[in-house]
Amino acid sequence: MNVLLIGANGQIGRLITGKMQEMDDFNLTAAYRKDDQMNEAQARGIDVAKVDLEKDMKHLEEVMSGMDAVIFAAGSGGSTGADKTMMVDLDGAVKAIEAARRKNVKRFVMISALNANRREVWSYGLENSGAAGYYYAAKYYADNWLLESGLDYTIIRPSALLNEPGTGKVKIDEYLETKNQNLEIPREDVASVVIASLQDENAVNKDFDLTKGTDSISDALAKL
């Protein structure tokens, strides 16, 4: 499977890249915005492409030629403002979805965020306000664009992300109860679920919440 990973320099993106490098099932092209990032990846034997989500769609369509799947793991980052959030997390995602559709890419996996699909959490000045509201709104509309795109999608909404080794044990559900709960998951486990979603037909056209749990990843996906 030929896979384009958008956001390969992010923390989850780097984990996906490392795991896919060791697998025979995938021919990965890792997309980066900066030349130095590309050079460093090439030195590690990774096939690379240059992608700037704030530019037009033409180069996105070019790098998607011949791809079977796209993973969208990009984000503007926590230190940017609402403008970058809208242009990368929303408009950049939508352009990637549209480019995939135009180039007849079969699969699209989106890394979203827990509660992005729940207006009652982030909208109308409720639990989250300010910049967080822009972030969730961006994720909400990007996810919905993918849902309506006609692509074979998987949307993964992970809980709070941890920088610790993965356990391989997760909980996956269409709707996790989040109120008064401190849900979290290692980034490594998110990366593993992304990859497993490309290998498991049961993950096609599914969107789900993801957190730490007791099921193996394969068993958790089988319950969808």
Side-chain angles (χ1 to χ4, degrees):
M1 180 186 291
N2 297 324
V3 179
L4 176 68
L5 170 60
I6 299 175
N9 195 57
Q11 293 186 72
I12 294 175
R14 290 195 293 270
L15 290 164
I16 294 170
T17 300
K19 289 177 180 294
M20 280 192 166
Q21 268 194 296
E22 300 175 358
M23 303 174 72
D24 295 328
D25 294 345
F26 302 104
N27 296 313
L28 175 68
T29 299
Y32 300 90
R33 186 170 63 88
K34 297 180 180 179
D35 290 337
D36 60 338
Q37 297 167 352
M38 294 175 63
N39 294 337
E40 189 274 333
Q42 283 181 311
R44 293 187 284 120
I46 300 168
D47 292 333
V48 301
K50 190 168 186 177
V51 167
D52 187 338
L53 292 171
E54 295 186 78
K55 294 187 176 179
D56 63 31
M57 287 175 52
K58 183 178 180 180
H59 75 300
L60 276 171
E61 293 182 23
E62 290 173 353
V63 298
M64 288 186 189
S65 294
M67 294 296 166
D68 302 303
V70 172
I71 300 168
F72 192 89
S76 58
S79 61
T80 60
D83 55 343
K84 288 290 185 182
T85 300
M86 289 294 107
M87 297 312 297
V88 174
D89 297 74
L90 174 53
D91 190 54
V94 169
K95 285 188 291 192
I97 293 163
E98 283 299 292
R101 188 178 60 81
R102 293 183 187 184
K103 300 304 291 186
N104 298 311
V105 177
K106 183 175 176 61
R107 291 280 279 116
F108 199 107
V109 178
M110 176 81 81
I111 301 176
S112 184
L114 189 66
N115 288 325
N117 59 329
R118 305 176 196 178
R119 285 183 180 275
E120 67 273 15
V121 173
W122 54 264
S123 192
Y124 315 116
L126 296 177
E127 292 185 29
N128 292 295
S129 60
Y134 285 100
Y135 173 77
Y136 283 108
K139 292 296 186 186
Y140 174 85
Y141 286 106
D143 292 353
N144 275 277
W145 198 275
L146 179 56
L147 289 169
E148 299 296 326
S149 68
L151 298 173
D152 289 344
Y153 64 83
T154 304
I155 299 172
I156 301 169
R157 296 184 293 268
S159 58
L161 300 169
L162 302 173
N163 287 324
E164 61 183 44
T167 67
K169 299 293 185 179
V170 301
K171 183 174 183 180
I172 287 175
D173 201 293
E174 292 181 5
Y175 188 99
L176 287 174
E177 179 56 55
T178 62
K179 190 173 183 179
N180 300 322
Q181 293 198 64
N182 185 27
L183 301 180
E184 54 191 17
I185 187 168
R187 285 181 170 87
E188 184 177 4
D189 284 333
V190 178
S192 295
V193 170
V194 168
I195 294 169
S197 294
L198 286 175
Q199 298 171 304
D200 192 331
E201 286 296 315
N202 201 47
V204 175
N205 293 337
K206 301 287 177 61
D207 63 292
F208 53 83
D209 297 344
L210 172 66
T211 194
K212 279 183 179 179
T214 57
D215 291 329
S216 69
I217 291 170
S218 58
D219 285 348
L221 288 173
K223 292 179 180 180
L224 284 171

